[in-house]
Amino acid sequence: MSNPLVLDAPPGQPLIEYHREFDFPVHSVFAAHTDPDLYARWNSSGPTPPRFDLFEPRSGGAYRWVQAGDDGVEYAMRGVFHTVRQDEFLLQTFEFEGYPDVVTLEYSTFTGLPGGRSRLTGRSLYPSVEFRDEFLSNGMGDVMSDGYDQLDELLGSVPAGS
C-alpha cells in the first residue's frame, strides 16, 4: 500500500500511537468511521460483516457490534462516543467483551491535507502495559493495517460526494 500504517508502542507506556494518510478527503475518511454501513464494509476481520446492535456516533452516544470469526464464534465490542466533532475528532472507549473491564480510551484526529488528501492520527490508552502488549501480540497491528487497506479500497469505489 502506498500509505502504510505507522504504529508506535512506546516501551513501558500503556498506549499505542498511530497515523496513516489517505488519498481521500477528510470528510470521506471521517464518514467511514461514523456511518455504520461504511464502517461495516472496511472494519471487519471475519467472513461476514459485523452486526450492529447499536451505533450512535454522536457525543454521548454508544455502540455495540458483533463479529463472527472464521470458526463461527461471535465476538462483541462495545463502547461510548464521548466526543464527536464532524470531520475533526472522535473520542471513544472500546471494550472487547471477551476481556471485561479492559477498556481502552481512543482518540482519533482527522486532518485535511493538500490535494484532497487526509491524515488519521490516533492514540489508544490501555489500563496497563501488559494488556496493551497482549492486544499487540494477538495481531492488532496487522488487523488495523488490513482494515485501513480495506478502507482505501472502499473509498476508491465510492463515488465522490457519497
Side-chain angles (χ1 to χ4, degrees):
M1 213 25 51
S2 62
N3 298 310
L5 173 69
V6 176
L7 186 117
D8 182 35
Q13 296 181 36
L15 59 92
I16 63 163
E17 297 177 312
Y18 58 93
H19 67 270
R20 189 179 190 288
E21 293 187 1
F22 294 89
D23 296 330
F24 302 96
V26 71
H27 177 76
S28 298
V29 177
F30 185 87
H33 284 78
T34 56
D35 177 302
D37 294 328
L38 293 175
Y39 190 78
R41 291 173 57 192
W42 70 268
N43 193 24
S44 176
S45 58
T48 58
R51 178 186 80 240
F52 290 95
D53 295 335
L54 178 68
F55 198 78
E56 306 167 322
R58 59 174 172 75
S59 295
Y63 68 91
R64 183 177 189 271
W65 51 278
V66 180
Q67 176 73 58
D70 292 333
D71 56 4
V73 175
E74 290 189 339
Y75 304 92
M77 282 56 83
R78 66 180 172 184
V80 174
F81 291 100
H82 292 271
T83 305
V84 177
R85 286 196 306 268
Q86 182 70 37
D87 297 342
E88 292 180 17
F89 184 74
L90 293 172
L91 175 60
Q92 66 190 61
T93 58
F94 174 86
E95 181 179 7
F96 171 53
E97 291 181 4
Y99 284 89
D101 304 325
V102 179
V103 178
T104 62
L105 184 60
E106 301 189 343
Y107 303 80
S108 300
T109 302
F110 301 80
T111 306
L113 300 174
R117 300 180 70 246
S118 60
R119 177 183 297 117
L120 170 64
T121 304
R123 173 182 276 192
S124 296
L125 182 61
Y126 292 80
S128 70
V129 172
E130 292 76 22
F131 282 121
R132 188 265 329 249
D133 290 348
E134 186 170 344
F135 275 81
L136 285 171
S137 70
N138 286 333
M140 182 187 70
D142 290 337
V143 170
M144 288 176 66
S145 184
D146 290 347
Y148 289 137
D149 289 348
Q150 289 177 37
L151 176 54
D152 259 337
E153 290 177 28
L154 171 63
L155 294 176
S157 71
V158 174
S162 294

